[in-house]
Amino acid sequence: MKNMTDTSSIRVRFAPSPTGYLHVGGARTALFDWLFARRYGGAFILRIEDTDVERSSEEMTTGILEALTWLGLNWDEGPYYQSKRLDLYKQAGQRLLEGGHAYYCACPAGGHTIACREQASREGGGAVRFRVPQGTVSFKDDVIGEISIESDTIEDFVLLRSDGHPTYHLSVVVDDIDMRISHVIRGTDHVSNTPKQILLYRALGAPLPAFAHVPLILGPDKTRMSKRHGATSVMAYQEQGIVPEAFRNFLALLGWSPGTDQEMFGDDELIQAFSLQGISKANAVFNPEKLSWFNAQYLAKLPDHKLIAYLKPEFINAGLWRDTLENEEADRFKLLLEALRPRSKTLHDFVRQSRPYLGTTLEYDQAAVAKVSKEPQIREHLHTLADRLQSLPDFNHQTLEAVIRALAEELAVKPGTLMGGARVALTGLSVSPGIFEVMMILGPETTIQRLRTF
Ligand code: GLU
């Protein structure tokens, strides 16, 4: 048994194959590995399993690194590339041959028979196969519990192909030994590989790591998460205007539970609360509405500087950015963000709703204009309001409200009529944040000018 108080030796790895983008399941595995390393002050190692030359690509590797970086899952070592470590696997194959744990197999592809093992040679050519020993392979998975399998159900699997390339089982075990991995935390789809890998550890004379296989992620219809359920690529969520804090919090609860009802977790809280015991055996269900809920929660409370950092590229793309928003106009810009926070579920919602405030020209919703135009003399009233605002010494919520109420009384109209008219004149829309906020976001100059020219 591992001594869990000896935390200095905690070493975990995330080992993606760059044959596709980083998908939600992979990201969740990486998050659990990262949380576990951070929880115990261990090391989180990134290893790119790119020995399958045909199916791996550099572009996919770049995409995976980008997605991990976006998610904030910083690694302490690596990325190591298996394609650059081929000698290590060959040497291990050689040791296994020499120790009688493996043999050359010259059978035609797919035609391996047990007879081949009888004539097994330590020299020659062809693929190198593992000589699966007799007996029972048992281990205790930290999530699933006891697992036991008879080794006669495992065929002599290939370690090195005839071209000298390692198979997954050999490279993964050699690397996990070489990198002194203490805990293999990975998707439950690898449970069936574990007995073979345990046999390899034994043959190589290495101590076993702990194993923890995390449950699958299913779509809302309880079938394995796939594109039918929405985006499976992590970066697609960035494109949808999800912030990494929210995605991380959401992913953490896919297959792990703190044992309480708490749902919102800052990183430090999550790290403190995380444990392998909290990982569930049952499959997790990906609920897009829950993700959207988390995102809205985070958008509502992210510190301004973080929110602005996420929004800036989006504003730039939309042609709505100017540097003064972070300088001369910073106060008004922050008021705008405050007004939009409760009205936004994604970063895109901010951008879309910012147009009337940050755009150089105002687009009017014709239905909204037609509706307020029915109020008698509304344009004259709004022009008078502009005059009153012109002579207002202090432009704040109270003074604005006082001016509108006084003017409404003077003109014998309802304050709501003036406010409704002002809303359309100032935003072009019939729905907006509170009218006094709108005026303060726009500032006196633009407010007065839009009221005058309506
Ligand atoms: N490279 C494997 C994969 O992407 C993971 C191997 C492992 O975690 O043991 O599925």
Side-chain angles (χ1 to χ4, degrees):
M1 240 358 252
K2 291 237 163 294
N3 177 1
M4 290 298 291
T5 54
D6 176 15
T7 55
S8 60
S9 59
I10 298 275
R11 293 172 61 82
V12 296
R13 78 323 190 261
F14 177 54
S17 305
T19 53
Y21 45 74
L22 182 66
H23 56 86
V24 172
R28 195 273 318 259
T29 299
L31 175 63
F32 284 8
D33 274 293
W34 180 83
L35 285 171
F36 187 72
R38 295 293 170 264
R39 171 76 177 81
Y40 295 105
F44 176 54
I45 294 150
L46 180 59
R47 183 171 78 221
I48 305 296
E49 306 213 313
D50 57 348
T51 52
D52 185 341
V53 196
E54 242 127 73
R55 293 178 59 228
S56 303
S57 81
E58 234 176 271
E59 201 185 316
M60 291 302 175
T61 301
T62 310
I64 291 170
L65 301 187
E66 215 175 77
L68 289 171
T69 304
W70 176 72
L71 261 179
L73 304 183
N74 54 324
W75 51 93
D76 306 303
E77 285 180 32
Y80 295 109
Y81 293 87
Q82 287 193 325
S83 59
K84 299 196 180 129
R85 299 166 58 83
L86 298 177
D87 283 347
L88 217 62
Y89 315 131
K90 279 190 202 151
Q91 285 161 20
Q94 201 54 45
R95 274 177 54 208
L96 290 167
L97 281 166
E98 284 160 13
H101 298 293
Y103 58 89
Y104 279 109
C105 158
C107 298
H112 173 71
T113 62
I114 199 71
C116 165
R117 183 202 252 225
E118 315 291 296
Q119 318 146 6
S121 69
R122 292 186 199 180
E123 281 148 48
V128 174
R129 275 186 196 272
F130 186 60
R131 183 191 301 277
V132 174
Q134 281 192 326
T136 310
V137 187
S138 305
F139 67 103
K140 186 172 170 295
D141 187 280
D142 280 344
V143 175
I144 300 169
E146 287 295 337
I147 295 177
S148 224
I149 171 172
E150 293 310 317
S151 72
D152 57 14
T153 62
I154 305 173
E155 83 157 5
D156 286 357
F157 53 94
V158 174
L159 301 173
L160 289 165
R161 296 181 220 287
S162 43
D163 64 3
H165 256 73
T167 57
Y168 157 67
H169 292 300
L170 180 64
S171 53
V172 87
V173 170
V174 167
D175 277 347
D176 284 344
I177 295 171
D178 186 63
M179 295 173 189
R180 305 187 317 282
I181 299 303
S182 62
H183 291 70
V184 171
I185 305 170
R186 61 184 173 190
T188 204
D189 43 337
H190 288 292
V191 176
S192 60
N193 294 327
T194 308
K196 290 181 187 164
Q197 295 173 8
I198 287 177
L199 291 172
L200 271 177
Y201 276 93
R202 287 188 191 150
L204 288 164
L208 289 185
F211 290 95
H213 288 92
V214 304
L216 288 180
I217 299 179
L218 308 179
D221 63 356
K222 310 283 161 70
T223 63
R224 192 168 178 167
M225 173 90 182
S226 75
K227 285 197 181 134
R228 283 178 301 117
H229 301 114
T232 53
S233 152
V234 168
M235 291 317 265
Y237 290 94
Q238 183 200 29
E239 279 155 32
Q240 287 175 21
I242 302 289
V243 292
E245 286 85 349
F247 200 61
R248 226 155 40 217
N249 196 153
F250 168 75
L251 278 184
L253 293 170
L254 285 183
W256 171 81
S257 152
T260 65
D261 289 341
Q262 184 177 349
E263 292 194 295
M264 293 287 291
F265 284 92
D267 280 342
D268 290 339
E269 276 180 298
L270 198 53
I271 289 167
Q272 282 317 309
F274 189 78
S275 73
L276 296 181
Q277 288 74 43
I279 299 177
S280 136
K281 281 197 244 273
N283 291 329
V285 176
F286 187 99
N287 177 351
E289 278 143 41
K290 193 79 199 186
L291 174 58
S292 174
W293 178 85
F294 272 114
N295 207 44
Q297 298 294 312
Y298 277 91
L299 290 176
K301 62 172 214 166
L302 275 179
D304 281 332
H305 72 275
K306 281 203 178 160
L307 182 60
I308 293 172
Y310 291 138
L311 284 173
K312 191 169 169 177
E314 309 242 343
F315 278 127
I316 290 173
N317 265 343
L320 293 176
W321 184 259
R322 47 187 185 252
D323 288 336
T324 49
L325 294 177
E326 282 182 309
N327 301 301
E328 297 92 304
E329 296 185 278
D331 289 344
R332 292 211 315 262
F333 185 47
K334 284 178 187 171
L335 279 182
L336 170 62
L337 299 183
E338 278 325 301
L340 298 183
R341 279 178 195 259
R343 299 160 180 268
S344 301
K345 283 191 170 165
T346 71
L347 292 172
H348 306 326
D349 290 343
F350 281 91
V351 178
R352 191 172 40 74
Q353 299 177 92
S354 289
R355 218 163 263 290
Y357 310 95
L358 301 180
T360 40
T361 55
L362 185 60
E363 272 177 45
Y364 295 94
D365 168 12
Q366 288 314 318
V369 173
K371 190 146 177 260
V372 291
S373 301
K374 286 195 192 129
E375 295 293 340
Q377 296 182 290
I378 189 70
R379 287 194 163 70
E380 287 83 341
H381 294 343
L382 293 177
H383 299 164
T384 311
L385 177 59
D387 294 337
R388 300 288 160 93
L389 294 179
Q390 185 84 59
S391 52
L392 196 64
D394 210 8
F395 204 82
N396 63 44
H397 195 118
Q398 285 80 12
T399 56
L400 290 170
E401 181 160 6
V403 166
I404 291 198
R405 295 207 181 271
L407 182 62
E409 203 172 315
E410 198 182 314
L411 298 172
V413 297
K414 288 193 198 122
T417 305
L418 279 186
M419 292 189 221
R423 184 183 312 280
V424 178
L426 297 178
T427 67
L429 305 169
S430 52
V431 191
S432 78
I435 192 65
F436 309 119
E437 272 88 59
V438 167
M439 290 177 164
M440 286 186 293
I441 292 162
L442 291 172
E445 224 173 283
T446 308
T447 299
I448 292 165
Q449 183 250 328
R450 284 189 183 172
L451 289 172
R452 279 226 169 98
T453 53
F454 183 62

